Amino acid sequence: MARALRLFSDVLFALVVLLGAAWAATALWLHLTGALRLAALGALALAAAAAFLARKRRRRAGWAVLALAALAVAGWYQTITPRADRDWAVDVSRGVTARVSGDTVTLDNLRDFDWHSADEATPRWITRSVDLNQLDTVDMITSVWDNPDIAHLLVSFGFRSGEHIVFSVEIRREAGETFNEIGGFFRQFELVLIAATERDILRLRTDLRHEEVRMYPVLLSPEQRRTLFLSYVGLAQQLERQPRFYNTLTANCTTVVYGLALGLKSDLPLSDKLILSGRLPEYLEALHVLGGEGTMAERRAAALLRPGAEARHPGLGYSAAIRLK
């Protein structure tokens, strides 16, 4: 028994060292460059070797060396803080800001770009004031670019005036930067809340990026619609005060919205569909808030936004088959 416990202890120690070193090496590789990166990785390798050597001499010494190395890495990692003053890509250079006065919400930095291609646009940032008493519809929009089980989530709020404002939680890319899922686990990207006109953000995805975009009506009461809209307003105000990091798993386009939706129902169930976001329509259906008629396959077909089709309102290059009445 003693021999088995010793073997288990040795295997556990090796796993902790190797997994910890792999995590630290990934973080160092993503955040450091040049000679500093090489020096840090070299120091990490020496620390791992020192832990194994110390354990060979005395078991507790190995854990002590490992703890010191972990503290050093954790201390460095805590110096990586979110910022709002980087050289951002133009489409995420401004997060929406909001001011509330009674029933009126004024949104600044509302994006209304004139897109010429998937990457080029004439920038236009506008200000809009909306009356919460005129908030009539909420639509969930899913946008798939590759894996049908993974979709970007957007939420569109429709007002009696015919205006629709779309909120999108996104990574805040720096100029020339591209997204990668691994970096999203290691504080490589800040988080931004984009508010945009449908003419901008949906036409970009349907007509220019050629993504598979679907729009589903969400059946909420007037008070619930108001609460959800103000939850987005609150998020905009929070991010204006204090930047946050995006996280591929815990702070992405779906899980952040899930956190906002808890204001509607505090016991919203957790589900794998919050990660496999292409299945969000089934999640809403289980909650009995998904609008439309027919089977799920029929509703998915009806929800598809087709590039270049008849516009719902002037200037919008797609048609939406279903809307809350």
Side-chain angles (χ1 to χ4, degrees), residues 48 118 181:
E181 289 81 0

Side-chain angles (χ1 to χ4, degrees), residues 168-240:
S168 176
V169 175
E170 302 186 7
I171 64 164
R172 200 170 192 183
R173 295 172 291 103
E174 295 179 58
E177 188 176 43
T178 57
F179 174 69
N180 71 85
E181 289 81 0
I182 299 300
F185 285 106
F186 289 89
R187 298 184 177 181
Q188 191 173 11
F189 307 104
E190 278 82 3
L191 181 146
V192 66
L193 178 62
I194 295 295
T197 62
E198 287 189 344
R199 185 188 74 87
D200 170 330
I201 202 164
L202 296 188
R203 179 177 174 272
L204 168 64
R205 292 177 177 275
T206 56
D207 287 29
L208 301 174
R209 292 184 181 171
H210 304 293
E211 297 177 6
E212 192 174 274
V213 181
R214 286 181 167 84
M215 179 185 288
Y216 301 89
V218 181
L219 306 177
L220 300 178
S221 69
E223 186 58 34
Q224 288 173 325
R225 292 195 292 267
R226 181 189 184 102
T227 297
L228 186 58
F229 188 89
L230 287 175
S231 294
Y232 274 102
V233 167
L235 176 60
Q237 293 172 332
Q238 291 170 22
L239 292 175
E240 185 181 11

Side-chain angles (χ1 to χ4, degrees), residues 1-38:
M1 177 64 72
R3 186 175 180 180
L5 288 175
R6 190 178 299 112
L7 178 60
F8 173 78
S9 177
D10 289 341
V11 171
L12 176 63
F13 181 81
L15 284 175
V16 171
V17 171
L18 294 175
L19 292 176
W23 184 94
T26 304
L28 292 168
W29 182 269
L30 290 171
H31 287 283
L32 302 179
T33 59
L36 186 58
R37 175 196 282 171
L38 294 177

Side-chain angles (χ1 to χ4, degrees), residues 135-176:
L135 177 54
D136 278 351
T137 64
V138 176
D139 292 281
M140 179 186 74
I141 300 161
T142 60
S143 184
V144 173
W145 59 92
D146 183 18
N147 184 340
D149 284 334
I150 304 298
H152 182 69
L153 171 66
L154 309 93
V155 176
S156 179
F157 293 87
F159 294 83
R160 212 161 296 160
S161 63
E163 181 153 27
H164 294 84
I165 293 173
V166 184
F167 287 105
S168 176
V169 175
E170 302 186 7
I171 64 164
R172 200 170 192 183
R173 295 172 291 103
E174 295 179 58

